[in-house]
Amino acid sequence: MRVLAAMSGGVDSAVAAARAVDAGHDVVGVHLALSRAGGTLRAGSRGCCTIEDAMDARRAADRLGMPFYVWDFSERFRDDVIDDFVAEYRAGRTPNPCMRCNEKIKFAALLERAIELGFDAVCTGHYATLVDTPEGRELHRASDNAKDQSYVLGVLTAEQLAHTYFPLGSTPSKALVRAEAEERGLTVAQKPDSHDICFIPDGDTRGWLADKVGAEKGEILDRSGAVVGTHDGAHAFTVGQRRGLQLGVPAADGKPRFVLEVRPVNNTVVVGPKEALACAEIAGERFTWAGRAPVASTFACDVQIRAHADPVPALASLEDGMLTVRPEVPFDGVAPGQTAVLYDGTRVIGQFTIDRTVSAVPVEV
């Protein structure tokens, strides 16, 4: 195949590209410049896409003897990931920018350009497995559950999966990837993994959002609608949050209260007891299938609501363009804007953005 290897400058993408070369493919490396004003150096494991990362990717490509290019995707990244992130918070939702980046940049914008240039597939260092069956290509969990990234790849469609290549999916552990990088003489062998949101390298999401969204004082309410405190900006709160609440009225039972809901329309935050975070139902209109779609409108599945959460057995149903999921055991602290990924064993069925949640604990009247 003609393979375009997306090289972030990290060890995973470098080893993935090396394995593609070993497999006999015609491989070209590309690094995506996602910021017009990217930093020079990384702050440890925070951030990515710096000049240092681009140079690390180039050195890896040189070591592997492959052509290498840097493509400017900064405008697409700003429009499809950063602006979306800000808009979601303005709407009182909790977005996942890594999902949007995979959906809009790596496997949409990058893949589209790759196909236009005659490449057969885009290769990345994601930990996930592709399985070809008579019914089409399937996306499965990686062999290493600790590194499995199938959740953030749940946004991929059947057409996109047909042009993807994940050489690391069957690797038993990340330690083996680092050891392989050492053996190949790749300088990124011990480079720290990236964490947090790449476009907020200092990790201060609250301060970054305050600058973008603006901070306006508002009220904190309990579930009955009574005012129990004030806040300096609703954007700074997420469902399940306990710390940082400025509550002037203690709970009747004396127990801590948690954020249950963010209402941007009237700039209020709703708090309540921990048990009220239990969620009996989630639903959303924005869904996609990773390969073949379910045959039945109602089907059993496992649902994962965060990248590192345990999957929960559930019943999913599709009716009038709305995908609804009811877990056997209530979810804990689900926020609109999060992504729910549906599994059948290790296979990813599809995903949806959560628009509505239903608490398992009714409001006492």
Side-chain angles (χ1 to χ4, degrees), residues 106-152:
K106 295 176 183 175
F107 297 98
L110 177 61
L111 184 56
E112 288 168 8
R113 182 176 294 185
I115 292 174
E116 288 174 357
L117 294 174
F119 288 94
D120 300 300
V122 166
C123 165
T124 72
H126 285 99
Y127 288 78
T129 306
L130 296 170
V131 177
D132 290 313
T133 74
E135 291 78 27
R137 178 165 284 188
E138 297 177 347
L139 174 64
H140 286 253
R141 292 189 185 277
S143 297
D144 181 5
N145 282 333
K147 290 297 296 180
D148 173 55
Q149 292 176 299
S150 60
Y151 172 86
V152 295

Side-chain angles (χ1 to χ4, degrees), residues 73-88 95-106 108-110 112 199:
F73 274 34
S74 58
E75 288 189 13
R76 285 289 298 266
F77 187 76
R78 180 198 62 207
D79 294 344
D80 293 337
V81 180
I82 298 178
D83 289 353
D84 174 80
F85 184 79
V86 173
E88 287 289 272
N96 186 323
C98 293
M99 303 290 287
R100 295 289 81 77
C101 185
N102 282 334
E103 177 186 20
K104 301 291 187 179
I105 305 299
K106 295 176 183 175
L110 177 61
E112 288 168 8
F199 52 87

Side-chain angles (χ1 to χ4, degrees), residues 4-248:
L4 186 68
M7 304 183 71
S8 66
V11 62
D12 292 329
S13 60
V15 172
R19 291 185 181 183
V21 172
D22 287 352
H25 300 304
D26 178 10
V27 186
V28 174
V30 63
H31 178 80
L32 302 184
L34 302 180
S35 173
R36 288 287 176 89
T40 301
L41 300 174
R42 299 171 84 233
S45 62
R46 292 189 182 276
C48 67
C49 313
T50 63
I51 295 174
E52 177 189 358
D53 292 316
M55 294 305 297
D56 284 341
R58 179 176 292 279
R59 280 190 286 268
D62 288 345
R63 179 71 180 177
L64 298 172
M66 66 171 67
F68 177 82
Y69 300 91
V70 176
W71 288 354
D72 181 4
F73 274 34
S74 58
E75 288 189 13
R76 285 289 298 266
F77 187 76
R78 180 198 62 207
D79 294 344
D80 293 337
V81 180
I82 298 178
D83 289 353
D84 174 80
F85 184 79
V86 173
E88 287 289 272
Y89 265 98
R90 279 201 178 107
R93 297 153 66 88
T94 303
N96 186 323
C98 293
M99 303 290 287
R100 295 289 81 77
C101 185
N102 282 334
E103 177 186 20
K104 301 291 187 179
I105 305 299
K106 295 176 183 175
F107 297 98
L110 177 61
L111 184 56
E112 288 168 8
R113 182 176 294 185
I115 292 174
E116 288 174 357
L117 294 174
F119 288 94
D120 300 300
V122 166
C123 165
T124 72
H126 285 99
Y127 288 78
T129 306
L130 296 170
V131 177
D132 290 313
T133 74
E135 291 78 27
R137 178 165 284 188
E138 297 177 347
L139 174 64
H140 286 253
R141 292 189 185 277
S143 297
D144 181 5
N145 282 333
K147 290 297 296 180
D148 173 55
Q149 292 176 299
S150 60
Y151 172 86
V152 295
L153 296 169
V155 291
L156 301 189
T157 63
E159 183 177 356
Q160 291 169 332
L161 289 173
H163 297 282
T164 57
Y165 182 26
F166 301 136
L168 303 188
S170 60
T171 307
S173 73
K174 177 63 174 276
L176 292 176
V177 172
R178 292 195 181 279
E180 182 177 334
E182 290 276 13
E183 292 174 3
R184 292 179 180 274
L186 297 172
T187 59
V188 293
Q190 299 305 320
K191 186 174 181 178
D193 293 338
S194 295
H195 297 291
D196 301 320
I197 301 170
C198 69
F199 52 87
I200 310 178
D202 64 0
D204 183 13
T205 303
R206 186 171 186 169
W208 188 89
L209 282 169
D211 180 60
K212 301 293 182 180
V213 177
E216 181 182 350
K217 291 185 178 295
E219 296 177 334
I220 299 178
L221 314 176
D222 65 15
R223 299 183 86 196
S224 71
V227 177
V228 294
T230 60
H231 64 75
D232 295 323
H235 67 273
F237 297 88
T238 58
V239 172
Q241 179 177 334
R242 174 186 172 183
R243 299 185 182 278
L245 303 181
Q246 302 174 37
L247 303 181

